[in-house]
Amino acid sequence: MKLIAHRGASGTHPENTMAAFKAAWKAGVTAFEFDVQRAKDGTLVVVHDDTLERTGGDPRAVRDLTAAQLKALDAGSWFDATFRGERIPTLEEVAVAAPASCELQLEIKQADPVYEGIERDVLAFLDARPALKARTAVSSFHHDTLLSLRRLDAKVRIGLLPGKLPIDPSFALAAELSAESMHVNLERLTPEWSARAKAAGLKLYVYTIVKPEQAARAAALGADGVFSNFPDITVPS
Ligand code: G3P
Ligand code: CA
């Protein structure tokens, strides 16, 4: 079963930082996941929440700060003092450093109001780097963003995060998107999700796994892969 390092090695390192990604790569993962938003100056940056409160000690919104301002924040201390000085990486920094053998699971995080046109920005970034684009799948909980992405690009790899969307119409949406994968919360996973995914030719990836028994449960329910905060965790083969 495939193990996708969720926000890097985020169980042992501050999520979505180069420290977390490097630890995941060192552990030998074949895929890693991260969250993308847009800074005030248009730079695509890798950070999960729409404000910096939790991971940067600053209540302001990501969208209201430039990349330079975001870079001034300490993105490591909140996790542990030993990570003081870790920074919010840009998408470019992560993409350039990623091993050529690694798949990128790029999740577009939407905010309120939405990052208008972020699909175009992500596509422009990938189109300028064809080899990277080939090993990147783009996902989002924001389904209009995915639909727009597909309208703009017939070939970009898409993974659907149904979130709380019922199983119907999730599979119809996946078909409309020509998605390659469905990413389902372990708490929602049932044999029906897995049977429907297999029938539709979709990979079924399950989040978020922190214990081996959760990986075993996901595997028993038919998952093809798991998003885990611990790249060293034992997963069924
Ligand atoms: O792609 C799975 C997972 O990353 C989705 O949830 O909140 O960790 O971004 P979240
Ligand atoms: Ca994510």
Side-chain angles (χ1 to χ4, degrees), residues 3-17:
L3 188 148
I4 304 159
H6 181 244
R7 311 183 198 171
S10 60
T12 50
H13 295 70
E15 65 184 50
N16 283 326
T17 62

Side-chain angles (χ1 to χ4, degrees), residues 6-7 16 33-35 48 105 107 109 139 141 161:
H6 181 244
R7 311 183 198 171
N16 283 326
E33 187 266 0
F34 54 94
D35 305 288
H48 183 276
Q105 285 284 340
E107 183 190 341
K109 279 292 183 210
S139 63
F141 286 108
L161 280 157

Side-chain angles (χ1 to χ4, degrees), residues 155-185:
K155 293 205 170 138
V156 65
R157 297 170 57 190
I158 289 180
L160 173 60
L161 280 157
K164 294 188 172 135
L165 195 68
I167 197 163
D168 288 308
S170 290
F171 282 93
L173 177 59
E176 186 178 356
L177 289 166
S178 299
E180 65 174 33
S181 54
M182 182 79 88
H183 306 179
V184 178
N185 190 309

Side-chain angles (χ1 to χ4, degrees), residues 4-223:
I4 304 159
H6 181 244
R7 311 183 198 171
S10 60
T12 50
H13 295 70
E15 65 184 50
N16 283 326
T17 62
M18 291 311 298
F21 296 129
K22 284 177 183 170
W25 300 333
K26 197 171 167 195
V29 296
T30 57
F32 69 104
E33 187 266 0
F34 54 94
D35 305 288
V36 169
Q37 298 186 58
R38 191 171 64 202
K40 190 177 182 182
D41 62 340
T43 305
L44 294 172
V45 291
V46 176
V47 57
H48 183 276
D49 296 4
D50 57 358
T51 81
L52 287 315
E53 183 83 62
R54 182 175 62 89
T55 59
D58 187 316
R60 287 179 292 177
V62 172
R63 69 183 329 132
D64 291 337
L65 300 185
T66 63
Q69 289 173 312
L70 290 169
K71 284 280 180 198
L73 300 176
D74 176 358
S77 291
W78 71 275
F79 188 84
D80 189 275
T82 55
F83 294 107
R84 185 161 68 90
E86 278 299 317
R87 302 294 161 193
I88 292 172
T90 63
L91 171 57
E92 181 165 16
E93 286 167 341
V94 173
V96 164
S101 57
C102 239
E103 177 183 81
L104 285 73
Q105 285 284 340
L106 186 167
E107 183 190 341
I108 298 178
K109 279 292 183 210
Q110 275 294 12
D112 184 17
V114 295
Y115 292 110
E116 202 65 55
I118 193 171
E119 314 86 326
R120 278 195 170 76
D121 300 337
V122 168
L123 279 175
F125 180 87
L126 294 176
D127 284 337
R129 299 162 180 83
L132 181 77
K133 185 178 182 182
R135 55 194 175 90
T136 299
V138 182
S139 63
S140 186
F141 286 108
H142 196 270
H143 302 150
D144 284 345
T145 296
L146 293 180
L147 287 164
S148 166
L149 197 67
R150 178 54 78 221
R151 275 194 293 274
L152 291 164
D153 189 313
K155 293 205 170 138
V156 65
R157 297 170 57 190
I158 289 180
L160 173 60
L161 280 157
K164 294 188 172 135
L165 195 68
I167 197 163
D168 288 308
S170 290
F171 282 93
L173 177 59
E176 186 178 356
L177 289 166
S178 299
E180 65 174 33
S181 54
M182 182 79 88
H183 306 179
V184 178
N185 190 309
L186 179 61
E187 301 314 313
R188 291 197 70 198
L189 186 61
T190 61
E192 191 185 355
W193 280 94
S194 129
R196 296 276 298 270
K198 275 182 183 45
L202 290 162
K203 294 285 183 202
L204 180 65
Y205 299 146
V206 175
Y207 63 91
T208 302
I209 301 302
V210 294
K211 296 177 184 165
E213 53 265 36
Q214 292 174 318
R217 192 168 127 218
L221 285 165

